Amino acid sequence: MTADQLPATSREVRLASYPRGEVTLDHFELGESALPEPGEGQVVVRNDWMTLGSVARDQMNPDTKLPIPVFQPGVAMWGRTVGTVVASRSPLLAVGDLVEHFSGWREYAVGDAHEFFRRDRALLPGPEYFLSQGPTAWHGMVDTAQVGEGDVVFVSGATNGVGALAGQIARLRGAERVIGSTGSKEKIGFLVDELGFDAAFDHHDGPAAEQLAELAPDGVDVVFDNVGGEQFEAAVQVASRGARFALCGALAGQHGTGEGGTPRLPLMQVITKDLTLRGFATLHTPDQIENWNDRFGAWLGEDRIVFPHTVVEGGVPALPDAFIALLERRYSGTVLVRLS
Ligand SMILES: NC(=O)c1ccc[n+]([C@@H]2O[C@H](COP(=O)([O-])OP(=O)(O)OC[C@H]3O[C@@H](n4cnc5c(N)ncnc54)[C@H](OP(=O)(O)O)[C@@H]3O)[C@@H](O)[C@H]2O)c1
């Protein structure tokens, strides 16, 4: 596509207002902005896929403590995306290159070539695979919790993009038993039958501590926590002596409702059981991303891992509905919206 064949405009989703509680379609607006020709050093990218996660709900809160920028009313939202370079005035990127970047929620992105990170298409089965949550799952499970041979592992919120890979990584690193929590019978089947978890429970079926203790009668050695709240408290109760916790998310408190982000912590249990509780924030450094993509490609090639994901069709206009469905827990795995 040459510069004169580029479309004149690009559709984008903007934040209409900050939600206080439940997110509805009224909090978004679909807009259209002129697509400028690239200036010196710039590229134009057609966005092909973007991923959605609950983190965007935090970014709709102007008071969030996240170390990333929040969305601004009236301005296009942003998020992790892959796309194809369709015009370039930079020696760094050529037309046809696959790039990963953060200018999602829109059809085309224009900017300095340094803001777009080239990916080797041959490494993974499809461009959408570059949007996996693997760097976070690896950072939490391996670098932070140091999972290893013989560990009994508990992953809370195990069906989401991070959790579904974290559990599989634990198994590949030698864990003896991997247990997940989720929100429905159907998702238990997904964890056990499709992802190879040894057991899973539905948090609706009773107190998490009782269900976890039943599935891990000798305790858990590693906890990868996406949820916080009651499930974190349960994991502390069931933890073995010396257990390592990787604190990844606090979904029970991230959606603008509930106290899940402030669980009770029985300090004497933490002390007497010699527990390590470690939060982590994955900054997606080039090393983290490249190491993961290499490893992911190799494991996929050997059929040792699967990429759990849900594909949503409909392009940019479908993004607000898809985001609300994500918050309503209707999807499993990484949520991928096809944009082109
Ligand atoms: N520390 C880091 O560096 C880092 C980086 C990226 C993401 N994160 C965090 O990792 C977590 C997972 O992120 P993700 O993008 O993979 O998935 P996500 O889209 O945030 O996960 C949504 C899924 O999580 C499950 N879930 C469990 N408890 C929930 C609750 N109380 N409310 C809503 N959903 C709940 C639901 O499935 P069920 O039906 O099974 O309940 C839902 O389908 C999030 O907390 C995110 O903020 C952390």
Side-chain angles (χ1 to χ4, degrees):
M1 193 181 273
T2 60
D4 56 357
Q5 291 172 317
L6 289 173
T9 58
S10 165
R11 288 183 295 177
E12 62 192 27
V13 176
R14 303 171 186 148
L15 183 71
S17 60
Y18 290 121
R20 296 180 198 285
E22 198 184 341
V23 179
T24 68
L25 289 177
D26 291 340
H27 294 112
F28 304 90
E29 62 189 33
L30 183 64
E32 200 161 300
S33 63
L35 189 65
E37 287 195 9
E40 188 59 38
Q42 290 191 325
V43 293
V44 181
V45 172
R46 183 197 65 226
N47 288 339
D48 297 327
W49 293 91
M50 91 163 280
T51 183
L52 295 172
S54 297
V55 68
R57 175 64 186 85
D58 296 300
Q59 293 172 270
M60 292 179 165
N61 171 8
D63 302 319
T64 182
K65 301 288 180 281
L66 279 185
I68 51 177
V70 297
F71 302 131
Q72 301 296 327
V75 177
M77 295 162 68
W78 62 275
R80 231 174 121 210
T81 304
V82 288
T84 306
V85 176
V86 291
S88 176
R89 291 192 61 201
S90 163
L92 297 178
L93 291 171
V95 169
D97 280 350
L98 175 70
V99 289
E100 182 176 335
H101 64 98
F102 293 96
S103 296
W105 296 89
R106 70 201 76 186
E107 290 173 321
Y108 287 85
V110 185
D112 191 284
H114 289 102
E115 295 163 20
F116 300 86
F117 307 99
R118 188 144 57 86
R119 300 288 177 243
D120 176 2
R121 286 183 195 273
L123 209 53
L124 295 176
E128 69 276 25
Y129 281 65
F130 289 90
L131 295 175
S132 90
Q133 300 274 35
T136 300
W138 178 273
H139 187 201
M141 195 52 95
V142 179
D143 302 336
T144 307
Q146 302 189 335
V147 70
E149 295 287 331
D151 281 332
V152 175
V153 175
F154 171 51
V155 181
S156 68
T159 60
N160 59 39
V162 175
L165 284 173
Q168 294 183 80
I169 291 169
R171 168 56 47 74
L172 285 160
R173 299 288 288 187
E176 181 186 306
R177 184 165 167 77
V178 182
I179 299 162
S181 68
T182 183
S184 70
K185 301 282 168 295
E186 191 191 357
K187 287 186 178 181
I188 290 179
F190 170 70
L191 288 173
V192 175
D193 302 334
E194 293 181 40
L195 305 188
F197 279 56
D198 297 284
F201 67 88
D202 177 346
H203 60 83
H204 298 102
D205 284 350
E210 283 175 20
Q211 297 200 71
L212 183 57
E214 200 170 307
L215 297 176
D218 298 325
V220 293
D221 306 302
V222 165
V223 176
F224 188 106
D225 189 20
N226 286 307
V227 175
E230 188 215 352
Q231 296 198 39
F232 169 79
E233 292 171 9
V236 171
Q237 277 188 47
V238 178
S240 302
R241 186 173 167 71
R244 293 94 68 200
F245 282 57
L247 306 180
C248 178
L251 282 165
Q254 272 177 262
H255 291 185
T257 51
E259 296 297 314
T262 51
R264 286 162 300 171
L265 183 60
L267 276 181
M268 284 312 290
Q269 284 212 44
V270 176
I271 294 163
T272 55
K273 291 204 279 191
D274 203 6
L275 304 183
T276 303
L277 308 181
R278 203 169 149 201
F280 69 95
T282 308
L283 298 177
H284 282 78
T285 61
D287 275 0
Q288 284 175 330
I289 291 173
E290 282 161 26
N291 289 341
W292 168 255
N293 286 338
D294 285 346
R295 197 171 276 123
F296 193 30
W299 279 342
L300 286 166
E302 296 160 4
D303 285 332
R304 297 176 73 199
I305 198 167
V306 294
F307 177 33
H309 61 275
T310 301
V311 171
V312 180
E313 305 288 351
V316 164
L319 284 164
D321 272 319
F323 183 64
I324 290 170
L326 165 93
L327 297 181
E328 291 171 350
R329 310 184 185 194
R330 285 195 257 145
Y331 300 135
S332 294
T334 298
V335 179
L336 296 164
V337 183
R338 197 195 305 268
L339 298 185
S340 73

